[in-house]
């Protein structure tokens, strides 16, 4: 929760590039992905390819948008500690509130970002978003998962360029 030492008004993603062999100083670089006041970033996953590029996938929500699947990344040639602008993979479709009879709003645990073993360059990320509800009852809200292929490019664009999959797939759960 941020800001530290004050009233919490957002959540952020903290990331680290580690070199375990350098025990004296294992942190090569690090950074914070922070959407600002009132923006919540949650359930991140990260991967780095053989070229030293990285991709982070996570969910994001705030008062003006439903929970959505998003991503950001960096090329190895980008300035240390910097990630590019966050891009939406799948916008949220509806509000989400589901407690399953408990005290807390339960969000799923689905976040994975991996490197394609075929080329050690391409990333695949699967993230959650708030899917369209199936009714107006207490437990009728749903979340879905969205996966996407992301191919890093050296072009001076604000984020890694996504490549559409032949058939984007979404799984929705009640």
């Amino acid at each position: 929760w941020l800001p530290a030492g004050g009233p919490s008004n957002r959540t952020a993603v903290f990331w680290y590039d580690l070199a375990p062999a350098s025990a004296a100083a294992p942190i090569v670089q690090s950074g914070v992905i922070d959407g600002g006041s009132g923006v919540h970033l949650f359930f991140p996953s990260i991967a780095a390819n053989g070229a030293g590029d990285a991709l982070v996938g996570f969910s994001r929500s705030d008062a003006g948008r439903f929970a959505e699947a998003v991503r950001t990344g960096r090329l190895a040639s980008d300035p240390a500690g910097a990630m590019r602008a966050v891009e939406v993979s799948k916008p949220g479709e509806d509000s989400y509130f589901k407690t399953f009879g408990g005290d807390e709003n339960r969000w799923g645990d689905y976040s994975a970002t991996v490197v394609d073993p075929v080329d050690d360059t391409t990333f695949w990320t699967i993230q959650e978003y708030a899917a369209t509800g199936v009714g107006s009852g207490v437990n009728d809200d749903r979340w879905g998962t969205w996966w996407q292929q992301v191919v890093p490019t050296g072009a001076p664009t604000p984020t890694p360029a996504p490549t559409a999959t032949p058939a984007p797939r979404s799984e929705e759960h009640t």
Side-chain angles (χ1 to χ4, degrees):
W1 291 91
L2 293 172
S8 299
N9 63 15
R10 64 190 185 270
T11 54
V13 173
F14 291 74
W15 62 272
Y16 299 87
D17 177 2
L18 304 174
S22 303
I27 298 175
V28 175
Q29 63 177 321
S30 63
V32 179
I33 305 165
D34 184 356
S37 182
V39 179
H40 297 279
L41 313 178
F42 45 99
F43 283 102
S45 55
I46 189 170
N49 65 18
D53 306 325
L55 185 76
V56 182
F58 49 98
S59 295
R60 172 177 70 181
S61 68
D62 61 40
R65 69 182 122 207
F66 301 126
E68 58 191 359
V70 297
R71 70 194 183 285
T72 185
R74 58 174 280 105
L75 297 176
S77 58
D78 289 345
M83 285 283 175
R84 295 179 176 203
V86 173
E87 284 194 48
V88 176
S89 297
K90 174 66 173 147
E93 300 172 347
D94 206 348
S95 62
Y96 181 88
F97 185 80
K98 196 173 222 176
T99 63
F100 296 101
D103 294 336
E104 295 183 12
N105 189 19
R106 177 72 172 103
W107 186 250
D109 303 331
Y110 299 97
S111 177
T113 302
V114 298
V115 177
D116 194 321
V118 172
D119 65 8
D120 194 30
T121 301
T122 303
F123 294 99
W124 290 90
T125 188
I126 183 168
Q127 303 303 322
E128 272 185 277
Y129 67 97
T132 303
V134 294
S136 58
V138 173
N139 284 311
D140 292 340
D141 291 342
R142 300 186 306 168
W143 52 266
T145 55
W146 190 264
W147 51 321
Q148 180 174 26
Q149 180 186 40
V150 180
V151 179
T153 65
T157 57
T159 57
T163 300
T165 58
R169 186 172 158 175
S170 172
E171 297 179 14
E172 297 180 350
H173 301 273
T174 56

